[in-house]
Amino acid sequence: RSSDLFDELRAAYADDLHGLGQGGADLILVETVFDTLNAKAALFAIDEYFEKTGLKGQDELLSLCVGLFEECG
């Protein structure tokens, strides 16, 4: 189910964010995501991380580029 996959992805991103925070990261960037479920899970994990660490209210930026491709041949 997609809800189970979403929870797994969010948890994985949360682990990554914890490590980045412990390492002193100054910027969290979600980049090159081909699946919207992954992007959503990453953004939810970031929001939860900001809330948990007291950074809630920090600016968040989402850049989206959509490409449409016609079938060749």
Side-chain angles (χ1 to χ4, degrees), residues 10-25 28 45-46 48-50 52-53:
R10 187 177 41 79
Y13 283 118
D15 288 343
D16 292 343
L17 287 163
H18 177 74
L20 289 167
Q22 293 294 315
I28 305 297
I46 291 169
E48 291 170 352
Y49 176 78
F50 281 174
K52 185 191 303 186
T53 58

Side-chain angles (χ1 to χ4, degrees), residues 2-3 5-11 13-14 17 30-31 33-48 60 62 64:
S2 64
S3 62
L5 178 58
F6 175 81
D7 290 338
E8 290 176 30
L9 291 168
R10 187 177 41 79
Y13 283 118
L17 287 163
V30 179
E31 180 183 33
V33 176
F34 296 100
D35 178 19
T36 55
L37 187 66
N38 276 281
K40 182 179 176 182
L43 295 172
F44 270 70
I46 291 169
D47 192 54
E48 291 170 352
E60 296 178 38
L62 175 61
L64 183 64

